Amino acid sequence: MKNILLTLAAMILIISAPRYIFAAECASGSQPLELLNKSGAEIISIELSQTGMEKWSPNRLDAPLADGASASCDIWRGEILGLSDLRVTLRGGKEIIWRRLPVLEIFSLTVNSELKPEYERIKLSS
């Protein structure tokens, strides 16, 4: 009986461990933005600015993002105060700026073939 209880306790720890790790990551503000490129061109830069400030962050992509590829970007959610503008730069220098995005509520964003953002807003409860 003692062995069964120890085995069950070990299984509970193993099963629940990833949740604790995830919760710690979320608490530190490291929830990434999943970016899917369906633009037809390579994306070389993603930058954010608080709406109305025009003060752009460093590039949030670790490497250029090929058409059809996806990447997980740390957008530093802990630094974001509200609505943000997002600037996308394509290979060749073309820039697209999307204004007033609720990036704190966006966890997956697709750049479509019309160079418009596609996303769902997800409000997290506190």
Side-chain angles (χ1 to χ4, degrees):
M1 182 69 169
K2 188 176 182 181
N3 287 340
I4 293 173
L5 290 176
L6 288 174
T7 302
L8 285 173
M11 288 174 61
I12 290 169
L13 286 174
I14 290 169
I15 291 169
S16 63
R19 288 187 216 150
Y20 292 123
I21 293 167
F22 180 73
E25 289 173 3
C26 292
S28 71
S30 65
Q31 299 165 325
L33 173 68
E34 294 298 321
L35 185 68
L36 176 58
N37 183 4
K38 292 187 177 180
S39 69
E42 184 177 48
I43 297 174
I44 60 169
S45 178
I46 298 286
E47 302 160 300
L48 288 98
S49 173
Q50 184 176 345
T51 293
M53 298 296 287
E54 296 297 316
K55 185 177 178 184
W56 298 101
S57 71
N59 184 5
R60 299 298 185 212
L61 285 176
D62 293 331
L65 186 61
D67 182 43
S70 64
S72 181
C73 306
D74 183 358
I75 60 170
W76 297 4
R77 290 183 191 275
E79 305 286 323
I80 297 172
L81 299 176
L83 297 176
S84 295
D85 299 337
L86 196 137
R87 179 167 63 186
V88 177
T89 306
L90 304 175
R91 175 80 56 207
K94 182 172 183 167
E95 288 183 354
I96 302 102
I97 298 177
W98 300 319
R99 305 281 182 188
R100 302 184 55 79
L101 293 178
V103 293
L104 292 175
E105 300 171 6
I106 299 172
F107 294 89
S108 178
L109 184 138
T110 299
V111 181
N112 70 20
S113 60
E114 296 173 353
L115 302 179
K116 298 192 189 243
E118 296 177 0
Y119 59 89
E120 282 186 51
R121 292 174 72 167
I122 300 172
K123 291 188 178 186
L124 299 177
S125 60
S126 53

